[in-house]
Amino acid sequence: MKHKIGIIGFGTVGRGLTEILINKRDYLRRKYGYKFDIIAVADFKFGNVYNPKGLDVQHMLDMAQAGKKFTRDLVDWDNTRLIRKANATVWCELTFTDLQTGGPAIEHVITALEAGKHVVTSNKGPAALHYPRLKKLADKRGVEFMIEGTVVAGTPVINLATGPMAGCTINGIRGILNGTTNYMLTEMEKGMAYKDVLKIAQEKGYAEADPTGDVEGFDARAKVTILANIVMDAGIGIEEVSCEGITKITPADIEQARKQNKRWKLIGSVVRRGDRVEAFVKPEMIDLSHPLAGVMGATNALTFATDLLGDVTIVGPGAGKTETGFAILTDLLAIHRKRAQHKKSGRKA
Ligand code: HSE
C-alpha cells in the first residue's frame, strides 16, 4: 500500500523533504518497501494544491525555486479544509515556528489528528507548547505524532533516547542545541562581524524566519523544554526554562575566552535535582579540552547522562534543508515500520 503524504509549508524544510523523497523514491521502495505519493501541499505563498493520485512535485519544486505560484491541481480550500478532505494518511507540518502561541501549526496538527491522520512535524511550537495534549489526542485516535525534527534536525536525539536507550534513566542532558548561534560563534571567533555572520546563517537556511529566536536563545529553550518533557518526564512549561542568548557576547569576550584557552558556546541543560527537573539555556565559556568545545559551525551535540551507560554523546547537524528534511523522512519510515508491525499482528494500522 502507498502512503499518501500531505505537506503543510513548502519552505526550506518542505522542499528539502520533497527533494529527498524524489531522489530516493526507488531506494526507499527497494530497501524498506516504502511507497508513497505526495498528494497535497499547502503553502501560503505558492497556493494549496491537491491531487488524490499524486502531485507533480518536480514541477512544484521548479515553480517554488523560481518564486512563482503553483499552477496545477490548485484548490480553493483553506488549510483546515484541505487537511480534512484530502486522502492523506500522514500530514507533515512544516510551517514556521511560532513559540508565542504555537501559530496555525497547532490547528493543523489538531485537525489532522482528529481526522485520524498521522502527523510528523519539525515545528517546535506544537512540540514545545502542547506536546502532552497532542500526544494524548494521537493516542486516542490510534495515530502517531512524531517530532524528531524539532530537536537537532535529523540527528536522532529523541528517537535515540526513547528507543534504543529505553531502560536507561536519563539524569541530565547538556548540549549545543542551536546551529545558527554555534555557526555564528564559530565565525565570530575567526573575526567576522555579528551582523554579517547572522545574514550568512539566514542564507544557509539555519536561522529561524525571525532569527531573534536563535540569537536570544528562545529556539534552544524550546528544544530544551521538549527534551526535558519527553526524555526526562519533567512536566515543565517553556516559561519555566530560564534563557539567555548570545547577543551580549562581544569580540572582547571572545578574546578573553581565547586567552583562558576557552571558547563560548550556547549551552542548553536539563538537570535532575531530587524529584525536580530544572532546565536552562545560557552562554558558557567551555574549556578547549571539553568535547563540546570542538563542536563547530552549525553542528549540534548532546550528552545524555545515564545510570546504566554513563555519558552518551551524539554529534550531528542541527539545522539545514536536507538535514531537517531527513528528520521528517526518518519519522515517516518509523510510521511505516509500526504500521507494518500492526498489520502483522492484526491490529489497527
Ligand atoms: N534555527 C534552528 C537552528 C534550526 O539554528 O538550530 C533548527 O531548529
Side-chain angles (χ1 to χ4, degrees):
M1 191 215 141
K2 268 188 175 174
H3 298 268
K4 302 276 183 183
I5 301 173
I7 297 175
I8 311 165
F10 207 60
T12 306
V13 182
R15 284 183 249 170
L17 170 68
T18 303
E19 285 171 7
I20 296 172
L21 286 171
I22 292 178
N23 294 336
K24 295 205 145 197
R25 185 184 281 277
D26 290 343
Y27 172 80
L28 294 172
R29 197 192 55 237
R30 247 191 355 261
K31 179 99 177 154
Y32 307 107
Y34 188 79
K35 291 182 265 177
F36 67 92
D37 282 320
I38 299 177
I39 53 93
V41 171
D43 189 275
F44 75 96
K45 194 166 153 198
F46 303 116
N48 286 8
V49 290
Y50 174 47
N51 185 329
K53 292 190 179 142
L55 295 162
D56 181 353
V57 277
Q58 185 56 59
H59 177 71
M60 290 164 57
L61 284 171
D62 295 343
M63 296 298 281
Q65 178 65 26
K68 293 184 184 157
K69 285 180 185 292
F70 299 144
T71 53
R72 297 178 189 165
D73 298 311
L74 283 163
V75 287
D76 62 0
W77 303 340
D78 65 13
N79 292 359
T80 306
R81 189 144 184 237
L82 184 64
I83 294 167
R84 287 201 183 120
K85 288 192 72 118
N87 65 339
T89 51
V90 54
W91 280 97
C92 302
E93 212 299 338
L94 311 177
T95 60
F96 298 126
T97 290
D98 172 347
L99 290 174
Q100 298 299 314
T101 65
I106 300 280
E107 206 49 48
H108 298 153
V109 173
I110 291 173
T111 306
L113 293 176
E114 277 180 343
K117 318 289 181 161
H118 304 294
V119 173
V120 175
T121 189
S122 56
N123 191 316
K124 286 159 285 226
L129 304 178
H130 298 287
Y131 182 80
R133 114 172 136 102
L134 296 172
K135 179 73 174 81
K136 208 168 151 192
L137 175 58
D139 289 346
K140 198 170 142 200
R141 299 287 164 164
V143 291
E144 303 296 331
F145 176 49
M146 308 283 287
I147 62 164
E148 180 60 60
T150 60
V151 181
V152 193
T155 305
V157 294
I158 294 176
N159 291 337
L160 174 69
T162 56
M165 275 168 55
C168 276
T169 301
I170 296 174
N171 290 315
I173 304 172
R174 183 171 151 79
I176 297 167
L177 292 166
N178 181 269
T180 301
T181 46
N182 205 51
Y183 175 78
M184 289 177 70
L185 290 170
T186 301
E187 295 303 313
M188 282 162 68
E189 243 186 71
K190 294 180 199 160
M192 267 189 94
Y194 177 95
K195 265 192 186 160
D196 296 338
V197 73
L198 174 57
K199 195 160 169 276
I200 298 171
Q202 285 177 293
E203 283 163 8
K204 284 181 179 281
Y206 305 148
E208 298 299 297
D210 175 2
T212 317
D214 295 293
V215 295
E216 298 285 3
F218 304 143
D219 173 77
R221 176 165 71 168
K223 292 167 181 167
V224 160
T225 309
I226 295 167
L227 290 170
N229 286 332
I230 294 180
V231 178
M232 290 176 61
D233 305 315
I236 55 172
I238 195 166
E239 67 291 342
E240 294 172 65
V241 180
S242 68
C243 170
E244 186 189 330
I246 66 159
T247 51
K248 292 186 193 137
I249 295 180
T250 62
D253 293 327
I254 289 172
E255 189 48 35
Q256 192 204 353
R258 196 197 315 269
K259 282 186 185 149
Q260 296 176 35
N261 280 330
K262 291 183 178 176
R263 171 172 283 153
W264 285 100
K265 293 289 177 193
L266 184 65
I267 302 291
S269 304
V270 189
V271 188
R272 198 183 297 283
R273 295 193 209 284
D275 287 348
R276 295 193 52 230
V277 173
E278 285 172 22
F280 46 92
V281 173
K282 61 180 170 74
E284 294 179 25
M285 270 205 282
I286 305 276
D287 202 276
L288 287 185
S289 61
H290 191 284
L292 289 181
V295 177
M296 306 300 273
T299 303
N300 285 188
L302 203 65
T303 299
F304 295 105
T306 79
D307 59 346
L308 303 179
L309 291 174
D311 282 359
V312 176
T313 299
I314 180 160
V315 181
K321 183 180 181 183
T322 306
E323 295 81 348
T324 312
F326 165 71
I328 306 303
L329 173 65
T330 196
D331 278 346
L332 290 174
L333 291 174
I335 291 172
H336 173 63
R337 278 195 299 274
K338 277 193 189 179
R339 217 170 157 280
Q341 277 166 8
H342 285 182
K343 218 171 162 188
K344 260 194 201 159
S345 64
R347 279 157 59 199
K348 182 177 176 264

